[in-house]
């Protein structure tokens, strides 16, 4: 590595490699303001069909310590991504809850001084579109990472709308109106679980009506 690689890596390019689960886990840490939980894919264990399921509790990792205003500024920037002027403004429009997100692009091959045009290259060479996010931003319950391989469009145009649909389906089905409550009023624990370690609570009937509206370059 050369000294100049530090700048490149600092904006998520160059030598960065990450799986979707790693991206979702990092997003969860952001949502939890440094609280880390070990991801796992097993929700629970039942020894017989008529036996109660034993739910596995997420194993905690050491917390990442940082000043609260650093977390707040970063999360505010992620919320602005979903609002007018942000790269995922279309995906955030009309939401009944606050969303924090970040769009991205992963290049499949390097251009030798030419201009990228997805419609003029082979599909297998098109960029991958990325989106990570969590919601509600003020009372996190879900973190998500979406990667759309060889997409015709950036993360804001393709990956973010899919993430929004997944968030809507999960939050309304699992929490109903509770997800609209700010953190100080919510009855649920205020720690967002990793996607693979979420323990769904009892389903709540959806009674909410829309009241709020929140609002890739290579």
């Amino acid at each position: 590595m050369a000294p100049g690689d530090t700048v490149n890596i600092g904006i998520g390019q160059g030598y960065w490699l990450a799986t979707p689960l790693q991206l979702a886990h990092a997003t969860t840490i952001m949502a939890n303001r440094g609280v880390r939980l070990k991801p796992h894919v097993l929700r629970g264990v039942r020894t017989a069909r008529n036996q109660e399921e034993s739910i596995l509790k997420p194993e905690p990792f050491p917390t990442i310590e940082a000043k609260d205003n650093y977390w707040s500024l970063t999360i505010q920037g992620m919320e602005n991504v979903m609002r007018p002027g942000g790269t995922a403004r279309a995906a955030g429009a009309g939401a009944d809850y606050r969303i924090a997100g970040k769009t991205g692009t992963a290049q499949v091959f390097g251009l030798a001084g030419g201009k990228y045009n997805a419609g003029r290259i082979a599909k297998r060479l098109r960029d991958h579109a990325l989106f990570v996010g969590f919601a509600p931003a003020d009372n996190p319950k879900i973190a998500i990472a979406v990667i759309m391989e060889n997409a015709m469009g950036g993360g804001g145009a393709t990956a973010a709308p899919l993430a929004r649909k997944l968030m809507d389906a999960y939050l309304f089905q699992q929490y109903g109106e509770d997800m609209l409550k700010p953190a100080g009023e919510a009855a649920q624990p205020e720690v967002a679980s990793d996607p693979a370690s979420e323990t769904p609570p009892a389903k709540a009937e959806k009674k909410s009506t829309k009241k709020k509206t929140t609002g890739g370059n290579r």
Side-chain angles (χ1 to χ4, degrees):
M1 291 180 62
D5 291 326
T6 303
V7 177
N8 202 34
I9 293 174
I11 59 174
Q13 296 186 1
Y15 292 98
W16 273 114
L17 294 174
T19 67
L21 181 57
Q22 288 175 319
L23 293 174
H25 180 55
T27 306
T28 299
I29 296 172
M30 181 62 65
N32 293 335
R33 294 172 178 256
V35 175
R36 300 171 63 207
L37 301 174
K38 183 178 180 179
H40 60 84
V41 297
L42 184 62
R43 177 180 182 270
V45 177
R46 180 185 288 120
T47 56
R49 181 172 296 182
N50 60 347
Q51 296 293 319
E52 183 177 353
E53 184 179 13
S54 176
I55 304 299
L56 299 180
K57 294 183 179 180
E59 178 184 341
F61 281 157
T63 299
I64 297 177
E65 301 292 342
K67 293 182 180 179
D68 189 64
N69 64 310
Y70 292 167
W71 298 114
S72 297
L73 285 172
T74 304
I75 293 172
Q76 182 63 58
M78 293 177 70
E79 286 194 65
N80 290 341
V81 169
M82 312 303 299
R83 293 171 175 163
T87 55
R89 56 191 177 278
D96 283 327
Y97 53 92
R98 290 163 56 184
I99 306 173
K102 179 68 180 74
T103 60
T105 303
Q107 290 177 265
V108 176
F109 81 111
L111 292 172
K115 185 176 181 180
Y116 177 80
N117 186 327
R120 299 183 65 179
I121 61 176
K123 182 178 180 180
R124 63 183 178 82
L125 298 178
R126 293 173 186 164
D127 292 346
H128 300 327
L130 286 79
F131 177 83
V132 298
F134 62 89
D138 55 340
N139 183 19
K141 297 182 183 298
I142 181 174
I144 192 169
V146 175
I147 297 178
M148 298 188 68
E149 296 182 309
N150 308 123
M152 278 290 291
T158 56
L162 177 57
R164 168 66 188 280
K165 290 180 179 179
L166 294 171
M167 288 179 176
D168 281 352
Y170 177 82
L171 291 171
F172 281 115
Q173 181 184 39
Q174 299 293 341
Y175 297 98
E177 287 186 341
D178 285 344
M179 72 175 185
L180 301 178
K181 296 178 181 180
E185 300 177 12
Q188 301 294 331
E190 307 314 318
V191 175
S193 299
D194 285 341
S197 63
E198 180 70 26
T199 302
K203 293 184 179 180
E205 182 182 357
K206 179 182 174 182
K207 299 179 181 179
S208 62
T209 57
K210 293 188 175 181
K211 299 179 181 179
K212 299 179 181 179
T213 300
T214 60
N217 297 331
R218 280 177 62 80

